[in-house]
Amino acid sequence: MNLVVVESPAKAKTIKKYLGPDFEVLASYGHVRDLVPKEGAVDPAAGFAMQYQVIERNEKHVQAIARKLKEASSLYLATDPDREGEAISWHLYELLKGRRQLGQRPVYRVVFNEITKRAVQEAVANPRELSTDLVNAQQARRALDYLVGFNLSPLLWKKVRRGLSAGRVQSPALRLIVEREQEIEAFQTREYWTVLADTAKEGKAFEAKLIQYQGDKVEQFTIGDETRARAVEQGLVQAAGGQLSVERIERKQRKRNPAPPFTTSTLQQEAARKLGFTAQRTMRVAQQLYEGVDIGGGAVGLISYMRTDSVNLANEALEEIRGYVAERYGADHLPDQARRYKTKAKNAQEAHEAIRPTSIRRLPAEVAAHLTKEQARLYELIWKRTLACQMEHALIDQVAVDLGAGPGNLFRATGSHVASPGFMRVYLEGRDDAREADDDEERQLPPLEEGEKLALLGIRPEQHFTEPPPRFTEASLVKALEEFGIGRPSTYASIISTLQEREYVVLDQKRFLPTDVGRVVNRFLTEHFTAYVDYDFTARLEDELDAVSRGEEEWVPLLEQFWQPFKQRIDHIEEHVKRSDVTQEALDEACPQCGAPLSIRLGRHGRFIGCTKYPECDYTRDLAEAKGQEASAPELVEGRACPDCGSALQIKRGKYGKFIGCTGYPKCRHIEPLERPEDTGVTCPQCGKGTLLKKKSRKGKVFFSCSTYPKCNYATWNEPVAGPCPRCGWPILTIKVTKTKGAEILCPQPECKHSEALDEQSLPGAAGKGHGAG
């Protein structure tokens, strides 16, 4: 008998089916060892020696593996094909060897990019040794995060507020969000006007935009106010004489190529845009699809490995996809050669295949009945993107028509039409900004000829104002993290969730806002640890870790290069920077009560303006007044009245962000959330009709309740996942994370005691909780 070890029980169940009776497959349930959660776990003075201990909740799984190993003739380590997977295999190997439970049995490392019978059997037939380079890269990353977390976090306690923490990768990500908010606040709105002409031919109306007036090109700010706009309008009406002439027609055809297949980053972005999934939810569902789902006849892995930088597809996959395109859509939708995309990944050892279905012939409609709602939606997204990437380009006919309105005056009308849809029949990539989506719209013009005259139906000046850059959504933040080289695809979800858990940022209308604490922490880090939140520095460090994994650099010198200046900086700040220097920002204004300088200060409920002579002087006021802002008029909710008393409803801001409240407060205390709660997609186990929605209590604590409330009052504090419970059959299970036991799957029924450890790989951000890690 041969023993195979993987991370999760779902993966073990799928692989067991492919290997037959000569193999036993067990799960490690994620990482089996981690650093000792105390000071000194990484010792720079001893060559960065690292003290590990068994993760308590996984000791029983290690013991189960050891007992089964006694009956086995060999050990196959089949954890995920990346750094973390390599580290899990190495830690398990070291544990078994250290406890003298391994004996003389041969140990093999096997990797596969998809959980299919062919891939698994080929991997077992062609094993390799454990990669020291990949293990060293993971150890270096873990040591860096530990050294930053265990040294920077206590400093934040002393200089800002108790309970705060900072991380090597999360801190530059926080800087991105804060700097975007500062750009928005500093943005000066500027007025500008456009002038449109309305005309028509053969009953088809269209509009054209003024591009030239009295011989001069019209730029964005050429017409800056209404007075100028009205003068231009009158001038054009007089010059045109009631008609427009077709001066020039330019026709061209452009190609639009399909987007490449999904990487981890692009999957998280598209799932956020099109499905409304958080990055964490996307990765959890993708893990389920990868590890295997029973679609009739046993569990099968539906997608390839979901943590990847690569856009490559295997030759076998390309042949199958092209064959399906030819059958389903015809040869005219198939390029002469297979499309091959270039990956941006620098680390060849982690550049696996792109994320794709394990078989394009498993159609979304056919497998949907065996999947949960969220699994079906994500699988369909991956399936469509993969199919489209191998289809013929789309052809877009574009036409631009210049219309004269008297000497020196020109309007331009543009139109576009999809001449050949190609891949667009299957899939079109989403956009982060609604303003970008105009490229996807068809605008057809009637047939026109140069020299013909058209009736001028009217001139319309329109007022506009420049807009600040938009706040980050989950999709645009993931894109920015990738562009700046902050973290790696497998860490994006945990970066985002960590910032929210630490209450450094909040989601408002699905966009990230920094909290007051987040601003203060960012200011402290950017002023005193400038190099360590620098985007280029962070990206270079990631590249060096990649170089370690390729065997091009040694990991200990890399840590030494980082540690010495970092420790010197920690010691200097601790000695020379006062808490007031960090939590207060000086204002060029005197206190109206005592004449002392005023400053922006951090209080229990956020930032405010206070006197520097406190407690002798108790003068304070709201921060908004520092910017010369007057109290704004209430922002009322249009078209709705309070369901309790009939008064108008108002958008208010409280301790936990914006909410809707009654204007009749305090006589009427009606409140409701501003945002639509996030739908988990898990069917309510009590009524079976609604789905469980993620909500916040009045005190800001997250809970999950039925969408049909108040008809159904089912609610749970823990995150729900689709069941059923293997012990009692209850339709759902829940995820609970504690510092002592880590992540567990529990049955929410009090009389049922079912619980099991949750594979950390399937819950991004779960690993390292409570260890002071960055």
Side-chain angles (χ1 to χ4, degrees), residues 499-660:
L499 290 177
Q500 292 176 276
E501 287 165 8
R502 291 175 178 170
E503 298 184 351
Y504 290 165
V505 302
V506 293
L507 268 177
D508 184 15
Q509 300 292 316
K510 294 189 176 181
R511 294 186 179 269
F512 287 107
L513 270 74
T515 62
D516 286 339
V517 173
R519 286 174 182 263
V520 172
V521 169
N522 178 71
R523 178 169 163 262
F524 172 68
L525 295 174
T526 52
E527 285 186 7
H528 300 293
F529 292 88
T530 310
Y532 304 98
V533 291
D534 178 76
Y535 305 132
D536 290 338
F537 175 85
T538 305
R540 283 197 306 273
L541 197 54
E542 293 291 349
D543 289 343
E544 288 175 328
L545 288 168
D546 288 344
V548 171
S549 68
R550 294 192 297 269
E552 297 168 3
E553 283 193 31
E554 294 295 326
W555 68 290
V556 172
L558 171 61
L559 291 176
E560 288 174 344
Q561 184 181 355
F562 173 88
W563 172 247
Q564 293 302 329
F566 179 72
K567 184 64 169 70
Q568 290 171 8
R569 193 68 190 147
I570 289 280
D571 294 342
H572 176 81
I573 299 303
E574 187 158 11
E575 184 177 349
H576 295 95
V577 175
K578 295 182 293 185
R579 187 176 184 277
S580 59
D581 297 335
V582 178
T583 58
Q584 298 184 26
E585 293 179 54
L587 287 176
D588 188 17
E589 184 181 351
C591 174
Q593 286 184 193
C594 71
L598 293 177
S599 66
I600 299 174
R601 311 178 71 176
L602 179 65
R604 181 177 299 176
H605 301 300
R607 297 192 304 163
F608 66 97
I609 294 174
C611 183
T612 54
K613 286 289 187 180
Y614 178 84
E616 289 85 0
C617 177
D618 62 357
Y619 175 80
T620 63
R621 71 167 188 259
D622 188 75
L623 180 61
E625 298 177 44
K627 303 167 186 173
Q629 299 174 359
E630 297 179 3
S632 57
E635 187 178 353
L636 300 179
V637 178
E638 295 183 9
R640 289 188 57 205
C642 174
D644 294 342
C645 71
S647 301
L649 292 174
Q650 174 187 352
I651 296 176
K652 300 182 177 184
R653 181 179 288 277
K655 182 180 179 182
Y656 300 103
K658 291 183 178 180
F659 65 95
I660 294 175

Side-chain angles (χ1 to χ4, degrees), residues 628-736:
Q629 299 174 359
E630 297 179 3
S632 57
E635 187 178 353
L636 300 179
V637 178
E638 295 183 9
R640 289 188 57 205
C642 174
D644 294 342
C645 71
S647 301
L649 292 174
Q650 174 187 352
I651 296 176
K652 300 182 177 184
R653 181 179 288 277
K655 182 180 179 182
Y656 300 103
K658 291 183 178 180
F659 65 95
I660 294 175
C662 182
T663 54
Y665 179 85
K667 291 182 179 179
C668 177
R669 295 180 176 269
H670 173 80
I671 63 169
E672 58 189 70
L674 178 62
E675 288 187 33
R676 185 178 179 181
E678 180 187 333
D679 192 340
T680 65
V682 178
T683 303
C684 174
Q686 185 163 292
C687 69
K689 297 178 181 179
T691 54
L692 298 182
L693 304 181
K694 182 179 180 180
K695 298 181 179 180
K696 272 189 177 182
S697 69
R698 291 189 180 186
K699 294 186 177 181
K701 188 175 180 181
V702 171
F703 69 98
F704 301 85
S705 66
C706 184
S707 59
T708 65
Y709 179 83
K711 291 182 180 178
C712 175
N713 63 357
Y714 182 81
T716 176
W717 289 113
N718 298 328
E719 181 180 358
V721 291
C725 172
R727 176 176 290 182
C728 72
W730 187 247
I732 71 164
L733 297 165
T734 59
I735 297 172
K736 185 175 183 180

Side-chain angles (χ1 to χ4, degrees), residues 68-81:
K68 187 60 67 173
L69 187 60
K70 292 178 182 178
E71 308 168 24
S73 57
S74 58
L75 174 64
Y76 288 83
L77 300 170
T79 49
D80 284 347

